[in-house]
């Protein structure tokens, strides 16, 4: 009887040891994953710090106050006209533009690949990273000349990449950050934000044949009806629309988008 009790006690001890070892392995694996993730994010951040240096602009773009000396010119457009896209293309020929929302961390090169998957997990320098890149829908005109241009970026928890876009749920944030600036080979373009909303991936926002089928007005109406912002800005069917698309953090069926219309020069 005593021998049987001793065997049972030893078995219990062994099970406890195995359970402790299993938990220790889980904690070690979790800690290792979190450390790897942090190092990966830091590598991505350094990559985009280097991008700003290569482009010849500050990494954080502040919207300067307009003075009488500026006349009709926008001082921010003057600053961004100095973006050196040619230098960026020496590192990566896929570099198409530079995008900025002033007074936020959103200031990045825009790349365009041959598909919409590569830059989900590669930075603008083509280094593998979960940070990814801000990239253009592969079927869009690289010079933003189509009716609708879509840019994709990850919703990072630290608001980097397209993480800051979630702030457009708040109308006060839109009032403080009402425009998106894009520098291309043709110069600097200003896009006025007119809508922000959650949208299904099969809705008209992601249809790539809107212009082909003459659905521009239906597209605009849909976006205005869904928007959580009341900006008073109503695009016309002949305007150019820019959509910034990121995930919602609630699955893959929908996306969060911030949409802007090209301002006439």
């Amino acid at each position: 009887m005593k021998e049987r009790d001793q065997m049972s006690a030893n078995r219990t001890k062994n099970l406890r040891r195995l359970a402790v070892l299993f938990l220790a392995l889980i904690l070690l694996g979790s800690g290792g994953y979190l450390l790897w993730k942090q190092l990966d994010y830091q590598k991505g951040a350094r990559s985009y710090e280097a991008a700003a240096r290569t482009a010849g602009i500050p990494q954080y773009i502040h919207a300067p106050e307009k003075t009488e000396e500026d006349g009709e010119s926008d001082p921010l457009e003057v600053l961004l006209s100095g973006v050196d896209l040619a230098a960026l293309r020496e590192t990566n020929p896929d570099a198409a533009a530079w995008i900025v929302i002033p007074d936020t961390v959103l200031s990045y090169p825009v790349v365009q690949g041959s598909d919409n998957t590569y830059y989900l997990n590669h930075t603008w320098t083509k280094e593998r990273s979960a940070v990814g890149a801000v990239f253009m829908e592969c079927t869009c005109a690289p010079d933003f000349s189509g009716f609708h241009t879509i840019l994709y970026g990850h919703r990072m928890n630290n608001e980097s990449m397209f993480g800051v876009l979630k702030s457009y749920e708040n109308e006060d944030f839109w009032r403080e950050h009402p425009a998106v600036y894009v520098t291309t080979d043709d110069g600097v373009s200003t896009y006025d934000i007119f809508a922000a909303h959650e949208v299904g991936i099969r809705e008209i926002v992601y249809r790539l044949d809107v212009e082909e089928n003459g659905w521009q007005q239906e597209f605009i109406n849909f976006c205005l009806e869904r928007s959580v912002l009341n900006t008073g800005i109503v695009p016309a069917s002949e305007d150019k629309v820019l959509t910034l698309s990121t995930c919602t953090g609630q699955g893959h069926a929908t996306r969060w988008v911030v949409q802007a219309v090209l301002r006439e020069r």
Side-chain angles (χ1 to χ4, degrees), residues 152-223:
Y152 305 102
H154 286 309
R155 178 186 175 121
M156 306 296 286
N157 290 332
N158 63 359
E159 295 197 344
S160 62
M161 307 311 289
F162 275 3
V164 73
L165 296 184
K166 63 181 180 288
S167 297
Y168 282 98
E169 294 176 356
N170 185 320
E171 205 156 289
D172 287 337
F173 186 86
W174 161 71
R175 290 191 183 94
E176 295 170 359
H177 309 86
V180 182
Y181 290 77
V182 175
T183 303
T184 67
D185 291 327
D186 295 325
V188 182
S189 297
T190 304
Y191 292 81
D192 295 311
I193 293 169
F194 71 90
H197 54 101
E198 185 174 340
V199 61
I201 58 174
R202 299 189 184 281
E203 302 283 5
I204 194 170
V205 169
Y206 292 103
R207 289 290 300 261
L208 302 177
D209 55 354
V210 170
E211 189 170 10
E212 177 185 338
N213 287 300
W215 294 338
Q216 291 94 325
Q217 193 58 55
E218 288 86 345
F219 175 96
I220 292 166
N221 293 344
F222 176 89
C223 299

Side-chain angles (χ1 to χ4, degrees), residues 49 56 77 86 92 103-104 110 114 137 150-151 156 159 207:
E49 289 170 4
E77 287 193 4
N92 183 357
D103 296 312
T104 75
V110 176
S114 58
E137 161 62 45
I150 309 175
L151 303 184
M156 306 296 286
E159 295 197 344
R207 289 290 300 261

Side-chain angles (χ1 to χ4, degrees), residues 61-64 73-81 100 102 181 188:
I61 304 294
H62 173 67
S73 64
D74 183 336
L76 195 53
E77 287 193 4
V78 173
L79 170 65
L80 294 175
S81 66
V100 170
Y181 290 77
V188 182

